[in-house]
Amino acid sequence: MPRPDIFHRDFTPTPYWWEAYKPAAGDLVEVPREVRVAIVGGGYAGLAAALEFSRHGIDAVVLERGALGVGASTRNGGSVSGGVNIGKSFSGRAAAVDGERTHRLLSDGADAFALIERLIADEAIECFWQKRGRFVGAWTPDHFAYQETRLRSLNDAAQSGASMVPRERQREEIASDYYYGGMVVERSASLHPALYYKGLLDACRRRGIAICADASVETIAADGSGWRVETSRGTVIAGDVVIATNGYTGAVTPALRRRIVPIASHIIATEKLPPDVANSLIPKRRSISDTKRVLCYYRMSPDGTRVVFGGRARFTPADPMLCARVLHGYMTARFPQLRGVKVTHSWTGNTAFTLDALPHMGEEGGLHYCLGCNGSGVAMMTYLGTQTARKIARVANAPCAFDGPEFPDHPLYTGNPWFLPLVGGYYRMRDRLDRLLA
Ligand SMILES: Cc1cc2nc3c(=O)[nH]c(=O)nc-3n(C[C@H](O)[C@H](O)[C@H](O)COP(=O)(O)OP(=O)(O)OC[C@H]3O[C@@H](n4cnc5c(N)ncnc54)[C@H](O)[C@@H]3O)c2cc1C
């Protein structure tokens, strides 16, 4: 039973976003017998790829295992950045990236932001796109100093509009003293993730693209010059296959599964707050995140009435009520003024981390893939889906910076992330130590 202290009487363990669009199979579209390209996974990446194929007159089908939008694409926090985390790897094996490649990665990350902004405008997607910037709180003075060292490359390569906010001015950004100042990134936005998803889906449907829900891909085998893709609702012969399964990458593509560590992320939404409280918490209505290893990300709901607060309450899927208690604790550590506030929604979803912390697109055993959001994929996975389609359609002007053969694996990792609870515990301890020693 919910402990009455934090749970609202209307509490539901489902995403707040699903009040506006709830993943559904809809009228089932038959799996075609033959198609030029089969796309596995119907999230942002899969739909963006399908849209781009249709722009070039290429016949594609999206094969989605469950309801449309059941993956991370209707569950995320809705903060949109073109940022790329270079040199900070979950596995300790960050990519060795020289100055020129860093510039290309940051610049393509910036393109990802431009692409999503253009897509939303072109398709007239009503998803509360709000370009209000992001504040990244520094957990320690050292983190603040590290942020300062990144300013120049962020602004040069990605035109991020980044600037530092010292601790004494922090309350201009957030009604909290939790951080040692932080960095503002102006070129960053927020949206309603499920409405953005629905907008992509509508755009695909307007173009007559086949989007097949409840069509789980069971096997993919080479067949002449193409592929035989067996689904739970029939077989399709495809010239090319795109794997867009991100944090839900499974046994169908074992070589890719070994390169992806699925890490759960959890979010709560609060009840509606009194207007004076709601307006005071994040006065510029930016998205917030922080530099902790076990970071939290949060924002006001699009209508400005609730806090939507996410983080790694656990590193694996876990009971939404347990996660709600942990996240409520994290939230009130930052905003003690929210102590009596109740939680109405709590949910979870999978992100996909890679061993070098970079998103990747490319080819593995002849299959195309776009995978590895590393926790930040609203813009990036839309972009990589689009770029993969452009590559297959042979219309890309230049190779994407995230495209290439180097997608690292580890000899001891086969796709079962049994070690995540240990990593989570270790990271939490390091966060505590960093602050104690600050
Ligand atoms: C809780 C949470 C918070 C997040 N917050 C943010 C944020 O604030 N900002 C941000 O930029 N990013 C955020 N992200 C990340 C972002 O949501 C993802 O990067 C993005 O949605 C990934 O899109 P995708 O299309 O690659 O994958 P998904 O949307 O996960 O879609 C993959 C799909 O593949 C399907 N699939 C898997 N296997 C098969 C199969 N065999 N056959 C058919 N279909 C299959 C799955 O069912 C799933 O629907 C967050 C993620 C989570 C979980």
Side-chain angles (χ1 to χ4, degrees):
M1 278 298 289
R3 270 217 324 256
D5 48 345
I6 70 155
F7 292 100
H8 193 270
R9 62 178 179 283
D10 296 332
F11 173 79
T12 161
T14 53
Y16 168 64
W17 313 120
W18 289 10
E19 314 245 321
Y21 167 78
K22 186 170 179 192
D27 294 337
L28 282 191
V29 174
E30 237 178 84
V31 174
R33 293 210 167 153
E34 217 173 317
V35 76
R36 170 71 184 81
V37 185
I39 300 165
V40 186
Y44 299 144
L47 297 189
L51 268 179
E52 188 64 20
F53 280 127
S54 101
R55 283 189 195 105
H56 303 290
I58 292 176
D59 175 29
V61 62
V62 176
L63 303 165
E64 167 53 53
R65 176 166 67 188
L68 300 177
V70 73
S73 295
T74 63
R75 298 168 180 272
N76 59 74
S79 299
V80 187
S81 79
V84 189
N85 235 342
I86 299 166
K88 283 207 149 182
S89 152
F90 142 85
S91 67
R93 297 170 65 205
V97 179
D98 62 23
E100 193 265 330
R101 176 121 196 265
T102 299
H103 196 276
R104 284 182 56 227
L105 291 170
L106 288 175
S107 162
D108 276 20
D111 281 357
F113 187 82
L115 174 99
I116 191 171
E117 187 170 27
R118 205 168 51 239
L119 189 56
I120 288 169
D122 289 352
E123 299 297 336
I125 299 177
E126 289 184 14
C127 60
F128 297 93
W129 172 260
Q130 295 172 338
K131 218 165 146 185
R132 295 173 189 252
R134 183 162 50 107
F135 174 72
V136 186
W139 175 233
T140 67
D142 278 358
H143 291 187
F144 184 87
Y146 174 72
Q147 287 180 315
E148 270 184 313
T149 65
R150 295 190 63 220
L151 268 191
R152 186 136 166 227
S153 65
L154 281 176
N155 288 336
D156 285 355
Q159 296 81 47
S160 297
S163 59
M164 298 307 294
V165 178
R167 198 177 199 186
E168 52 282 9
R169 284 185 33 229
Q170 181 165 293
R171 280 188 168 255
E172 293 170 17
E173 299 296 334
I174 178 170
S176 169
D177 298 318
Y178 191 74
Y179 302 114
Y180 280 88
M183 177 196 278
V184 163
V185 179
E186 292 289 354
R187 195 159 184 268
S188 159
S190 63
L191 50 61
H192 187 304
L195 288 180
Y196 170 54
Y197 181 82
K198 178 180 178 294
L200 288 180
L201 195 56
D202 290 344
C204 288
R205 285 178 169 151
R206 278 197 297 277
R207 288 169 175 76
I209 298 167
I211 313 280
C212 301
D214 290 348
S216 175
V217 172
E218 317 282 3
T219 60
I220 305 171
D223 183 86
S225 59
W227 300 91
R228 184 184 172 82
V229 180
E230 295 202 354
T231 82
S232 51
R233 291 205 289 116
T235 300
V236 53
I237 303 296
D240 279 299
V241 175
V242 175
I243 306 298
T245 47
N246 204 47
Y248 299 88
T249 301
V252 183
T253 50
L256 294 173
R257 193 186 190 190
R258 291 196 304 121
R259 293 170 159 85
I260 293 289
V261 183
I263 298 190
S265 197
H266 311 274
I267 307 189
I268 53 172
T270 67
E271 63 183 324
K272 283 189 176 183
L273 303 172
D276 56 324
V277 178
N279 294 334
S280 68
L281 293 174
I282 308 171
K284 297 178 186 161
R285 298 272 294 275
R286 300 195 196 276
S287 299
I288 312 277
S289 63
D290 53 48
T291 62
K292 290 178 81 168
R293 286 180 178 78
V294 183
L295 67 84
C296 289
Y297 49 93
Y298 44 105
R299 55 174 285 191
M300 299 307 293
S301 57
D303 65 1
T305 61
R306 305 163 186 257
V307 177
V308 177
F309 191 97
R312 305 238 144 70
R314 292 286 180 274
F315 275 50
T316 48
D319 172 25
M321 285 170 66
L322 168 79
C323 293
R325 288 197 182 93
V326 176
L327 290 175
H328 193 272
Y330 291 167
M331 178 178 76
T332 52
R334 285 147 179 90
F335 294 122
Q337 59 272 49
L338 296 184
R339 248 177 218 138
V341 165
K342 302 219 183 314
V343 174
T344 53
H345 300 73
S346 171
W347 69 97
T348 204
N350 277 3
T351 61
F353 279 68
T354 58
L355 300 181
D356 61 0
L358 292 178
H360 287 272
M361 62 175 268
E363 252 182 275
E364 167 63 43
L367 298 175
H368 297 273
Y369 61 80
C370 43
L371 297 168
C373 70
N374 288 280
S376 178
V378 177
M380 184 53 75
M381 299 319 289
T382 303
Y383 182 70
L384 291 189
T386 306
Q387 290 298 330
T388 301
R390 291 179 66 77
K391 178 181 171 187
I392 294 171
R394 297 179 191 278
V395 294
N397 296 331
C400 174
F402 298 96
D403 190 0
E406 68 297 339
F407 190 177
D409 61 359
H410 190 286
L412 295 179
Y413 179 60
T414 56
N416 171 16
W418 56 268
F419 45 83
L420 284 179
L422 302 177
V423 174
Y426 171 71
Y427 279 3
R428 279 189 191 88
M429 183 194 72
R430 290 287 307 271
D431 277 338
R432 275 197 297 272
L433 269 181
D434 280 354
R435 189 70 175 237
L436 276 174
L437 301 175

